[in-house]
Amino acid sequence: MSKIDRHALFYKLTEIGVSQKMLNTLKKLYEGSTSRVWGQEGLSGKFETGAGVKQGCLLSPLLFSLFINDLEEYLDGGISVGGICIKLLAYADDIVLLAPDRVSMRRMIANLETYCERWNLQVNLQKSEIMIFRRGGRISRHDAWRYNNEPIKVVGSYKYLGVNLSSQLSLSRHFKEKASAAKISLNVFNGLLAQNNIQFKQKLDVFEAVSRSIICYGAQVWGGRMVDVVEKVQRLFLKKVFNLPLWAPDYCLFLETGVSPLLVHTLKLHLKYVHRCLSLPDHRYPCILMKKVIEKKIFIYNDWLELQTVFGIPASSIPSCNVLAVVNRVKEGLSESFGRRRMRSQRCSIYPELANFTDYIHHQGDFTLVKWFLKARTELIRLNKYSFSQAVKICSLCNMKEEEDVPHFIARCPILSEIRRRQLNNSILTTQELRSRLNGQDWEAVGRYCKEAWQYRYSLVQEYNF
């Protein structure tokens, strides 16, 4: 809906009992009001505004709500939920009409026409659309609506309050849009992620404030399940921060950084929202809908059943659960799952044998060493064994005819013995010494060795085309 008629506004305020003193104050506030428009050529001159409420004024949302508060009385139809008839959803100037069938919707639109004509309101048809919730199939030729003889577009998905919902109640388009926006935000501060004088904690704070807030929008509704499109954004962030290949296993990312999948964050938001809805008075729509969902065991209740299957959390306990206890159980379950995947890894030869060690992640010195040590522990250094594009997996530098993996690169390759002696105090490391180093013993020295040795290896490979 667009600009309201100020005379009609003041009349309605009088009818609902606003005092004359307050009314006079409001009239003074709007007397001689002017606006300016900012465009490509700068700021326009002042011009008088005789309709609408002041943009940006704290009173404006309240005044608009009071003005259209009687709209529901004009409307027929609506849908019945828990014995309550819900005719519309209203947030500021966004109005959603709800009807169970075509006839009811046409009658509601006719009622809306009458209401707007009486109170000199206009509906913006460019932003008005009809969405029919259905299981599938094509739109019927009877599914056509008009407002003041102008057609209203019928769509398969609609964005309301920032959430894109399809006619099949799917959020897939919403997730894709938010993921795209979150990835763009990552690119915006890509330079910050690459700086080695900024530590991981600070980079993570920026990610959570910017990208996570974008991708997790609306998680209060859908956050009870793990959504891979959402999780990929955080995994991409971690790979960018530590300069890891795109195929880096997610269990390596989470076990090494101590960061949890976004499910832990979204689940906390979701459970708090569920409890908040159920704590509202019985006549409030969120409370009515949440109780009906639980009663019918539909929609988000299916997500709770998945939590029950995977983490052993009874779905029936969610409405009254201890939020922190459930979130911690999920966090522990995910960590256990990553640990099992690490132990079953066939890609790595030594990582499954290592102990958990995350202290180095919070190192306050050169972040380059942190990145190299993480790559060493998780066997994500770009070596021949881990290259998907090379048929040859043996070491490019020496003649030992061993696979060029992390144990060979750090502990045994004779071409790198001098660097090893200088950085690690030994020309060759035993398997036990290597394991101790990768478990945290003088980890900075391991980082320095990997950085220098790989740069030397790279220069030889480039020069002699190994």
Side-chain angles (χ1 to χ4, degrees), residues 226 231 251 254-255 260-264 310-311 327-341:
M226 181 174 281
E231 298 291 347
Y251 65 85
F254 296 120
L255 288 175
S260 298
L262 288 178
L263 171 62
V264 173
V310 178
F311 301 103
V327 170
N328 285 337
R329 175 68 193 97
V330 170
K331 187 175 180 179
E332 291 169 3
L334 290 168
S335 181
E336 291 168 3
S337 173
F338 293 140
R340 289 192 297 270
R341 288 172 59 189

Side-chain angles (χ1 to χ4, degrees), residues 278-290:
L278 293 174
S279 69
L280 294 172
D282 290 341
H283 68 275
R284 294 287 300 275
Y285 288 172
C287 181
I288 295 169
L289 291 170
M290 190 61 69

Side-chain angles (χ1 to χ4, degrees), residues 143-160:
D143 293 327
W145 287 267
R146 304 180 77 84
Y147 179 88
N148 282 338
N149 292 322
E150 294 290 330
I152 307 175
K153 185 179 180 182
V154 180
V155 297
S157 65
Y158 187 78
K159 182 178 288 187
Y160 181 62

